[in-house]
Amino acid sequence: MDAHSPENLYPYTVSRPIYSNPTFEEDNERQAREERTLRERLSRTCGCSGRQALKVVKGVFPVIDWLSRYPIREWLPSDVISGVSTGLVCSLQGLAYALLVSVAPVYGLYSAFFPILTYFLLGTSRHISVGPFPVTCLMVGSVVLTLAPDDHFLLPGNGTGVNGTEADGIVVDVEAMEAQRIMVASSMTVLVGLFQVVMGLLQVGFLVRYLSDPLVGGFTTAAAFHVLISQLKIVLSVPTNNHSGCFSILYTLIDVFTNIRQTNRADLVAGLLTIVIVMAVKEVNSKFRHKIPVPIPIEVIVTVVAAGISYATELESRYGASIVHSIPRGFAPAQPPNTELLWNILGSSFSTAVVGYAVAVSVAKVYAAKHDYTIDGNQELIAFGFSNVFCGCFSGFVASTALSRTAVQESTGGKSQVAGIISAVMVMIVILALGNLLEPLQKSVLAAIVIANLKGMFMQVTEVPTLWRQNRADCFIWLATCLASVVLGLDVGLLAGLVFEMGTVVVRTQFPACSTLGNIPEMDARNKFPGIKIFKCNAPIYFANIDYFKERLRVTVGFDSVRVFKKRNKALKKIHKLIKKGKLRATEVRYNLIIDNIRLFSSESFETGKFHLSVEDGDWPVPEVEVRVDWALELPVRVSVPKVQIHSLVLDFSAVSFLDVVAVKSLRLVIKEFLRIGVNVYIAGCDDEIVRKMEALSFFDEEVTRDLLFLSVHDAILFIKLETANGSMQDAMVEGVRDPEISGLFSDMN
């Protein structure tokens, strides 16, 4: 049965008094906020007990909390299987992503090992796999190529070279170049970690919320393009110059197509086969994930097979294939960062820190929601910060997480970070024992693995049509961020996208949606409250949009209150002059005073000013009378007075979340402008915080009182109708205008 069918729509009646804010607070005893002194706050925050100390320790080291409750029999077998599978993927992705950073593949293994150890102790997510991520690797790589390009390591040669390291008698000092590049990468990683730790300690993890989903989607899609182009030259094995910054993609493509004839066929064939096979098997894994207990580790299989083929057929010596060469056993000694480099990489490090954390916490939230637990955003910042500091000190580069690697850990049965520790053990085995077996592996195979894993990021393009239909502002954010990141580079592109996003927020609040509300009895939208306008603003009111608010209000009521006031004063002065000059004849008809075409009404029901009317050439005395001028009739003076068709204005503030000083001052002035031409103004639906803000900013005075506040629009409308029915509110817009000799009270008499 349809829940919205007529037979399921039950009318209901609510019976309660008409409440303004003061009467509601009086009836329900408004409670004042409890204000604590600074000493009380400090004692409450800094007080220490055994229970509080344990809570703090568990907050800093979450492993103490969950490991003590770890169900070994239920979870350990699944974690072991998941850890082994994830460890193999981590090892291969570490080797591959090292190419994005432009350092030797062995440093990718370090980056896949060290961050897991610290995250196990400090992290709050049970499922994410910590390690290199293509986007952050590329951001680090762009800095590495900027500060340590090939041109800085050129040496005189003897005319012979290998693998493009020498041209025209000039060779590149590969050993010195790799040492400098890993120093830049590790120093930047330490700085990224420090930024994240400081942000975590300052509890500013909420700042990452400014990176909206459309912005992150556009940015990561652009990063996928950068990754694709950077790996294309490795798959083709063609020499190119190092480019970074604006238009780097274009310059790299120009170099690739300029040297396209130097393509190594062995590398190209191996790369293309790897891309096709890996993507095909990943599609099978995705399609039959409910039937296959463990996803096929295709990257591992392809890597082992490719290394065996390369070793057996001697691809390097016979076909000139570019291979990994040396993967030294063991770990590099710890070394401090180069402090001289830090000032040159501050901006890039901060943007990388934000992106790395934003991606990781987004993935963590997905799996936390799926498995019904929560993560601590600020603690995640601290965990990733210390992981990056620790990793950077051991010649690693920035760690985050990758959705594909995390999906492997979760889909293979991972229950906790015990699976992460086991994956680290697998990476350690590769570093200590199995690394040399991968030395014959072609770099094009690793580059192809990177490209094959970009499918998920490229598929984000399909979100654009949906965003266009749902919210065009978000669609423009996606497109602007993607385009800026492709053209200007990742760091500048991210900043440009963020600025554009903030700009859309400002524009949407500066020009908010405003509407006129009305009554709809029996679904007749044309039937509105006569003499009453209801104006609703659907945004905060502050200095940037207060002028737009006033303009929309003028359009809604159909007149400018200031202009009405000035025109009426001008007309009144001219009428006064005509009366004094005797050009208008006055006669008294019972309670009505008629002056030519002007009809002046005398009535005790109106609170009006009194004046003594004297006519210079009149034959009869005129007593003091109460007068009203009907502005709906034609006036004897040539003054165009705007018509006012309302007597009450209701401002619906139910969607207004805050007011600033400028808005409060302007709003008070607007209300007074309406009051002086006789239009009563009421504010409905104010949140209690808005009322407090009004009180703090001295919004209320003798004219603008708290009595104009109502709980709801319905309360305000009922109050107005009740006042009109009782005669205490005039049907038309009324105002008293005083003159040295004349006082008139004007209204629209419909």
Side-chain angles (χ1 to χ4, degrees):
M1 183 179 293
D2 185 6
H4 300 287
S5 59
E7 59 270 17
N8 290 332
L9 298 178
Y10 300 100
Y12 66 92
T13 302
V14 177
S15 178
R16 66 170 176 81
I18 300 174
Y19 274 130
S20 66
N21 278 42
T23 56
F24 181 79
E25 292 171 2
E26 181 180 350
D27 289 352
N28 294 275
E29 299 181 1
R30 176 184 178 184
Q31 295 182 352
R33 283 188 173 182
E34 181 182 356
E35 297 291 341
R36 294 190 179 94
T37 64
L38 178 61
R39 183 175 181 179
E40 290 174 342
R41 294 177 185 175
L42 291 175
S43 62
R44 186 183 183 92
T45 305
C46 302
C48 184
S49 65
R51 180 174 298 178
Q52 288 178 328
L54 181 60
K55 184 178 179 181
V56 170
V57 172
K58 287 184 177 180
V60 176
F61 298 99
V63 64
I64 298 176
D65 185 32
W66 65 263
L67 192 60
S68 61
R69 298 180 284 106
Y70 183 79
I72 298 177
R73 292 184 178 180
E74 291 82 0
W75 285 12
L76 186 58
S78 299
D79 280 340
V80 170
I81 296 173
S82 174
V84 172
S85 303
T86 308
L88 295 175
V89 176
C90 284
S91 301
L92 298 178
Q93 289 189 353
L95 292 170
Y97 294 157
L99 301 180
L100 297 174
V101 188
S102 300
V103 296
V106 67
Y107 298 110
L109 294 175
Y110 300 158
S111 303
F113 173 75
F114 288 107
I116 298 175
L117 305 181
T118 47
Y119 189 84
F120 175 81
L121 300 174
L122 302 173
T124 59
S125 173
R126 300 204 309 254
H127 292 90
I128 65 171
S129 175
V130 182
F133 177 58
V135 176
T136 54
C137 290
L138 193 64
M139 296 176 75
V140 175
S142 65
V143 175
V144 168
L145 293 179
T146 301
L147 298 181
D150 294 347
D151 297 343
H152 291 185
F153 305 96
L154 298 180
L155 297 174
N158 55 12
T160 62
V162 181
N163 295 331
T165 59
E166 180 177 342
D168 299 328
I170 301 297
V171 298
V172 176
D173 188 350
V174 177
E175 185 177 349
M177 181 182 68
E178 289 187 351
Q180 180 62 20
R181 286 183 173 180
I182 192 57
M183 175 57 70
V184 174
S186 61
S187 298
M188 181 175 176
T189 300
V190 171
L191 188 56
V192 166
L194 292 176
F195 273 126
Q196 291 174 333
V197 170
V198 171
M199 291 170 65
L201 293 176
L202 294 178
Q203 304 285 294
V204 294
F206 66 89
L207 292 177
V208 181
R209 297 173 189 169
Y210 288 102
L211 300 181
S212 64
D213 289 344
L215 185 143
V216 173
F219 176 76
T220 52
T221 303
F225 279 103
H226 279 278
V227 173
L228 175 63
I229 300 304
S230 68
Q231 298 306 290
L232 180 62
K233 62 183 181 181
I234 299 176
V235 172
L236 297 174
S237 192
V238 295
T240 61
N241 295 321
N242 298 321
H243 302 290
S244 61
C246 298
F247 303 104
S248 59
I249 283 184
L250 179 61
Y251 296 143
T252 302
L253 283 175
I254 292 174
D255 288 348
V256 168
F257 286 108
T258 300
N259 301 316
I260 194 69
R261 293 186 178 180
Q262 301 181 37
T263 300
N264 186 289
R265 296 180 181 179
D267 286 336
L268 176 60
V269 170
L272 293 178
L273 286 175
T274 301
I275 293 174
V276 172
I277 294 172
V278 170
M279 293 187 68
V281 176
K282 279 183 173 291
E283 192 67 26
V284 171
N285 286 339
S286 176
K287 189 174 182 179
F288 299 99
R289 61 182 178 274
H290 299 298
K291 298 181 180 179
I292 303 176
V294 178
I296 302 172
I298 187 59
E299 291 100 335
V300 178
I301 297 173
V302 167
T303 302
V304 173
V305 172
I309 293 175
S310 176
Y311 176 77
T313 58
E314 299 180 353
L315 291 179
E316 181 190 18
S317 59
R318 296 177 62 180
Y319 300 99
S322 177
I323 65 174
V324 172
H325 283 296
S326 175
I327 299 182
R329 292 184 178 180
F331 296 98
Q335 58 179 353
N338 187 341
T339 56
E340 296 178 358
L341 297 172
L342 299 183
W343 292 106
N344 298 325
I345 56 178
L346 280 176
S348 300
S349 298
F350 182 76
S351 59
T352 305
V354 172
V355 170
Y357 169 72
V359 171
V361 80
S362 299
V363 175
K365 285 181 178 179
V366 169
Y367 287 99
K370 181 178 180 180
H371 294 276
D372 194 24
Y373 65 93
T374 59
I375 63 169
D376 185 342
N378 291 309
Q379 181 62 26
E380 288 293 294
L381 267 174
I382 295 174
F384 278 102
F386 278 111
S387 295
N388 282 317
V389 171
F390 185 55
C391 181
C393 291
F394 285 91
S395 302
F397 45 83
V398 174
S400 180
T401 189
L403 184 58
S404 60
R405 193 168 61 244
T406 300
V408 170
Q409 180 165 316
E410 191 268 345
S411 62
T412 52
K415 305 294 185 183
S416 69
Q417 283 301 323
V418 171
I421 284 293
I422 295 174
S423 69
V425 172
M426 296 299 298
V427 177
M428 183 177 66
I429 293 173
V430 174
I431 294 174
L432 297 178
L434 304 179
N436 61 331
L437 299 179
L438 299 176
E439 290 179 355
L441 180 65
Q442 292 169 268
K443 289 184 178 180
S444 63
V445 173
L446 294 176
I449 291 175
V450 173
I451 294 173
N453 281 285
L454 295 177
K455 178 187 174 183
M457 287 194 280
F458 278 123
M459 290 302 292
Q460 294 177 120
V461 176
T462 59
E463 298 176 0
V464 176
T466 304
L467 286 175
W468 180 260
R469 292 190 299 267
Q470 294 177 344
N471 191 317
R472 294 190 177 181
D474 288 339
C475 183
F476 287 135
I477 291 172
W478 197 103
L479 294 174
T481 305
C482 183
L483 183 62
S485 299
V486 168
V487 175
L488 304 177
L490 293 180
D491 47 357
V492 179
L494 177 63
L495 179 61
L498 188 59
V499 171
F500 183 84
E501 181 187 49
M502 293 295 103
T504 62
V505 174
V506 171
V507 169
R508 280 183 279 186
T509 57
Q510 189 171 357
F511 303 101
C514 299
S515 55
T516 305
L517 307 182
N519 187 24
I520 312 179
E522 299 180 357
M523 304 306 292
D524 183 4
R526 294 171 297 177
N527 189 338
K528 297 185 178 180
F529 302 108
I532 305 173
K533 287 286 186 179
I534 308 172
F535 180 75
K536 182 176 183 179
C537 179
N538 296 309
I541 305 176
Y542 64 111
F543 67 92
N545 67 2
I546 185 62
D547 291 334
Y548 181 78
F549 173 86
K550 292 190 291 187
E551 177 62 29
R552 297 306 304 169
L553 183 59
R554 280 194 292 268
V555 173
T556 297
V557 298
F559 59 86
D560 185 342
S561 59
V562 176
R563 185 169 179 268
V564 170
F565 182 75
K566 290 181 178 180
K567 289 290 185 179
R568 288 184 173 181
N569 270 343
K570 184 177 180 180
L572 184 61
K573 289 178 181 179
K574 289 189 176 184
I575 293 172
H576 181 219
K577 289 180 181 180
L578 292 177
I579 294 174
K580 293 183 68 175
K581 291 179 180 179
K583 295 183 179 180
L584 292 178
R585 296 177 59 192
T587 58
E588 182 179 12
V589 182
R590 299 185 69 176
Y591 294 104
N592 297 336
L593 182 65
I594 302 175
I595 303 179
D596 285 354
N597 293 332
I598 304 177
R599 188 165 182 159
L600 302 175
F601 298 96
S602 175
S603 173
E604 296 178 357
S605 64
F606 297 103
E607 296 180 1
T608 64
K610 296 181 179 181
F611 68 93
H612 180 76
L613 180 65
S614 61
V615 184
E616 293 180 359
D617 57 350
D619 297 330
W620 49 272
V622 181
E624 290 187 352
V625 295
E626 297 178 354
V627 297
R628 304 193 69 183
V629 177
D630 186 353
W631 294 99
L633 298 178
E634 182 181 357
L635 300 178
V637 292
R638 294 183 178 179
V639 178
S640 177
V641 180
K643 304 299 181 183
V644 178
Q645 305 294 339
I646 64 173
H647 56 73
S648 299
L649 172 65
V650 179
L651 302 178
D652 184 358
F653 274 20
S654 58
V656 177
S657 57
F658 73 87
L659 301 168
D660 70 350
V661 176
V662 176
V664 167
K665 290 182 179 179
S666 299
L667 186 61
R668 182 171 62 243
L669 182 60
V670 166
I671 293 176
K672 289 184 177 181
E673 289 171 354
F674 278 105
L675 290 177
R676 70 181 181 179
I677 62 172
V679 177
N680 296 305
V681 182
Y682 305 92
I683 301 177
C686 272
D687 183 76
D688 197 42
E689 281 296 324
I690 299 293
V691 177
R692 286 193 175 95
K693 179 65 69 174
M694 289 177 173
E695 293 173 343
L697 296 176
S698 303
F699 177 77
F700 302 107
D701 55 22
E702 294 180 356
E703 292 182 77
V704 182
T705 65
R706 286 176 53 87
D707 292 331
L708 60 80
L709 299 178
F710 283 83
L711 291 187
S712 67
V713 173
H714 191 62
D715 285 295
I717 296 299
L718 292 179
F719 175 80
I720 294 169
K721 295 177 74 173
L722 183 63
E723 291 292 298
T724 304
N726 292 338
S728 58
M729 179 181 295
Q730 299 158 6
D731 292 334
M733 212 272 325
V734 177
E735 176 192 4
V737 180
R738 302 191 180 276
D739 185 86
E741 294 189 24
I742 195 166
S743 175
L745 190 61
F746 312 98
S747 66
D748 295 331
M749 304 294 292
N750 297 321

